[in-house]
Amino acid sequence: MSALLAWLVRLGLRGAVDRALAHLERRAELEGVTEQLKSRTTIEIARAAVAEAQIMAEFNRAKLSVPWFWIFAALFVGPLALWWAAVILDSVFRFSWSVADLPTPQMQQWAGDMIAWLFYVGTGVGALKSLTR
């Protein structure tokens, strides 16, 4: 539950998260002592996750505004994009390039993580820019 609330905060739905926590608090007041303790513990864990998500969102917002961050990211994403393009071109047009696969499972995982990160960050930056217009 706390992961869901943290994800909603990252999407900018802090008001909805606050209402959900208030609902949980009202429900906890109506329960017995044991259930009330469980509910209050859940609420505090959720609050901690929400606070952490807010801190990380502020950190990421600041990080994305620094040009050096994008230069550093390009050092990793650029070669991966070239390799990815070569794989696709070689597959589609049947060139004789014989593009090699990434050598280790760890590198394959890292490449997948970088691609996921790129789309996640790109989507987030695009959404933030559209909201600030």
Side-chain angles (χ1 to χ4, degrees), residues 27-42:
R27 196 171 86 186
E29 291 171 0
L30 302 174
E31 296 172 339
V33 174
T34 304
E35 289 300 315
Q36 192 175 32
L37 182 60
K38 286 181 185 177
S39 294
R40 295 230 180 263
T41 302
T42 302

Side-chain angles (χ1 to χ4, degrees), residues 44-82:
E44 290 308 314
I45 290 170
R47 279 203 173 114
V50 166
E52 180 186 2
Q54 269 189 311
I55 290 167
M56 290 307 297
E58 290 169 13
F59 170 72
N60 284 329
R61 195 173 305 118
K63 174 177 72 176
L64 297 176
S65 66
V66 177
W68 287 105
F69 169 78
W70 292 106
I71 292 168
F72 182 71
L75 291 174
F76 292 91
V77 175
L80 178 63
L82 290 173

Side-chain angles (χ1 to χ4, degrees), residues 20-131:
L21 290 174
H23 170 72
L24 287 173
E25 286 175 337
R26 281 193 302 277
R27 196 171 86 186
E29 291 171 0
L30 302 174
E31 296 172 339
V33 174
T34 304
E35 289 300 315
Q36 192 175 32
L37 182 60
K38 286 181 185 177
S39 294
R40 295 230 180 263
T41 302
T42 302
I43 291 168
E44 290 308 314
I45 290 170
R47 279 203 173 114
V50 166
E52 180 186 2
Q54 269 189 311
I55 290 167
M56 290 307 297
E58 290 169 13
F59 170 72
N60 284 329
R61 195 173 305 118
K63 174 177 72 176
L64 297 176
S65 66
V66 177
W68 287 105
F69 169 78
W70 292 106
I71 292 168
F72 182 71
L75 291 174
F76 292 91
V77 175
L80 178 63
L82 290 173
W83 173 81
W84 188 256
V87 168
I88 291 172
L89 289 171
D90 191 32
S91 317
V92 172
F93 298 110
R94 301 189 187 273
F95 294 135
S96 60
W97 295 348
S98 299
V99 179
D101 195 4
L102 294 173
T104 66
Q106 292 86 359
M107 289 183 75
Q108 293 168 0
Q109 179 65 41
W110 296 337
D113 291 346
M114 279 192 273
I115 291 169
W117 172 85
L118 185 64
F119 285 106
Y120 173 72
V121 170
T123 303
V125 170
L128 284 174
K129 284 186 178 180
S130 69
L131 289 175

